[in-house]
């Protein structure tokens, strides 16, 4: 079995890095005390996807993401709650965008519809496109964590959390990015 937190793809609920100097400095730049509790997460599977997603968050096109309860449970992490802070990391693991969760909806993969994905990036607002991409990405993640071996694979009744957020602060590299 692989490590529970593979360093190559910390895409969902990567956990708190409050002790990381870069995280503390980013929090201060965003107007928060350096000891503020914040979860960190890299959203995306590779450098190109992570960068594209961060650009979509920075320009306001994307204001939601999804998490898998199975992954959170496997990694010993709690479900996020409205008001929680989430720090999206770039592909190198550096802080890129500070988000405040506004709402978290629990639903099944098969129940994701156009209304659910209405705050996704434009290309992912089509539920069929969203499902195709996420089935591939999440099955790979579930395999990485050894969950697929236990029968936890993407199906219509798999639980998901739809997490809606507001952007509070963005790294300089993403601030002037237009829609792409």
């Amino acid at each position: 079995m692989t490590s529970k937190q593979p360093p190559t793809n910390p895409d969902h609920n990567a956990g708190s890095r409050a002790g990381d100097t870069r995280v503390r400095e980013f929090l201060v730049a965003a107007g928060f005390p350096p000891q503020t509790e914040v979860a960190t997460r890299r959203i995306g599977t590779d450098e190109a996807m992570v960068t594209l997603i961060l650009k979509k968050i920075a320009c306001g096109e994307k204001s939601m993401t999804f998490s898998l309860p199975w992954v959170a449970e496997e990694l010993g992490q709690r479900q996020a709650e409205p008001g929680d802070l989430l720090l999206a990391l770039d592909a190198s693991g550096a802080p890129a965008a500070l988000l405040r969760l506004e709402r978290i909806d629990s639903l099944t993969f098969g129940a994701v519809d156009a209304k659910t994905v209405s705050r996704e990036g434009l290309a992912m607002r089509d539920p069929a496109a969203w499902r195709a991409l996420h089935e591939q990405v999440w099955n790979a993640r579930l395999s990485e964590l050894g969950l697929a071996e236990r029968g936890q694979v993407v199906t219509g009744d798999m639980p998901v959390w739809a997490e809606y957020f507001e952007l509070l602060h963005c790294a300089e590299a993403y601030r002037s990015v237009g829609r792409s």
Side-chain angles (χ1 to χ4, degrees):
M1 186 195 294
T2 60
S3 167
K4 286 189 176 186
Q5 289 188 343
T8 58
N9 189 15
D11 56 344
H12 294 284
N13 295 318
S16 177
R17 293 187 184 184
D20 183 324
T21 301
R22 296 178 303 176
V23 170
R24 290 192 312 268
E25 290 171 354
F26 197 84
L27 287 167
V28 169
F32 287 85
Q35 69 277 10
T36 301
E37 184 177 329
V38 61
T40 58
R41 184 184 311 169
R42 191 181 90 179
I43 305 171
T45 57
D46 58 42
E47 184 174 355
M49 185 183 291
V50 170
T51 300
L52 178 65
I53 290 169
L54 287 170
K55 287 178 181 179
K56 291 183 179 306
I57 290 171
C59 74
E61 180 182 315
K62 177 179 174 67
S63 60
M64 72 170 306
T65 191
F66 288 84
S67 292
L68 296 181
W70 291 344
V71 171
E73 182 179 329
E74 180 69 12
L75 299 178
Q77 297 163 341
R78 69 170 180 83
Q79 179 178 357
E81 298 174 2
D84 284 356
L85 297 178
L86 173 63
L87 185 55
L89 306 174
D90 70 14
S92 73
L98 183 62
L99 315 170
R100 177 177 290 128
L101 295 174
E102 299 174 317
R103 186 176 97 224
I104 296 104
D105 294 340
S106 296
L107 63 157
T108 63
F109 183 77
V112 172
D113 60 15
K115 183 178 179 185
T116 308
V117 295
S118 64
R119 289 172 51 182
E120 267 285 14
L122 291 176
M124 290 293 104
R125 291 182 188 171
D126 171 6
W130 181 90
R131 269 193 216 64
L133 174 71
H134 286 82
E135 181 173 3
Q136 177 185 3
V137 168
W138 285 343
N139 272 329
R141 181 68 169 144
L142 293 168
S143 289
E144 245 178 20
L145 293 172
L147 297 173
E149 297 168 10
R150 299 193 306 245
Q152 291 179 295
V153 295
V154 176
T155 62
D157 61 351
M158 177 187 74
V160 299
W161 292 323
E163 300 167 323
Y164 301 87
F165 57 78
E166 67 174 313
L167 174 63
L168 300 177
H169 183 72
C170 199
E172 186 67 38
Y174 300 100
R175 286 188 194 154
S176 61
V177 175
R179 291 184 185 262
S180 56

